[in-house]
Amino acid sequence: MRADFYLIDKPRFRAQPLLLVCELARRAVEAGQPTLVLARDAAQAEVLDDLLWSFDPDAYVPHQIAGMDEDEDEADVLIAAPESDVALRPLVINLRDAAVGDGFERVLEVVPADTDARGGSRERWKQYQARGLELKKHDM
């Protein structure tokens, strides 16, 4: 298992951090990786749902919010609010404060640009490290 931490650095991601999530989801779809996005709350799930339709006019990222349709297992990207009870997929993009439990191959953690807001990311790094995951850091 592997955990990749994406540190927001570029101005466009600083202005709208969910754009990085859209980019990561697009890459996952292009690589044929079924992806689960663990949204912080239902409002964030809806914002991400809208943004995935509009962030790039040339990109199509098949997605849906968990619990909105019976065939959610067929969606390339499934967005789950905390109240959704969904199974983990091989690739998980985690936007929540807690580390993701076992059951995935790779987790992507989006780290805020504000250094004061990075404490939770550091804690998740330590938790994944203690579990023996391979860790990588990427500046975005």
Side-chain angles (χ1 to χ4, degrees), residues 20-113:
L20 176 56
V21 177
C22 292
E23 291 289 341
L24 296 172
R26 175 175 50 191
R27 290 179 189 178
V29 168
E30 289 171 353
Q33 284 273 290
T35 303
L36 174 65
V37 180
L38 297 176
R40 188 172 307 278
D41 54 37
Q44 185 183 55
E46 290 179 23
V47 169
L48 183 58
D49 177 54
D50 290 342
L51 195 55
L52 279 166
W53 287 112
S54 63
F55 82 102
D56 182 341
D58 297 326
Y60 173 63
V61 179
H63 67 281
Q64 78 180 61
I65 296 176
M68 301 296 265
D69 199 349
E70 299 85 38
D71 62 350
E72 65 187 32
D73 291 337
E74 296 175 20
D76 291 342
V77 176
L78 185 63
I79 306 165
E83 57 274 4
S84 300
D85 184 26
V86 296
L88 293 179
R89 291 182 169 194
L91 181 64
V92 177
I93 300 174
N94 187 29
L95 303 177
R96 298 182 187 166
D97 293 331
V100 180
D102 292 332
F104 61 86
E105 294 172 15
R106 186 173 171 210
V107 63
L108 310 182
E109 294 276 350
V110 176
V111 181

Side-chain angles (χ1 to χ4, degrees), residues 1 5 9 12 14 18 27 34 39 59 68-69 87 103 110 117 127 133-134 139:
M1 290 190 302
F5 284 73
D9 188 42
R12 71 185 187 126
R14 282 179 180 264
L18 289 180
R27 290 179 189 178
M68 301 296 265
D69 199 349
V110 176
Q127 290 174 9
L133 273 69
E134 175 187 350
D139 291 322

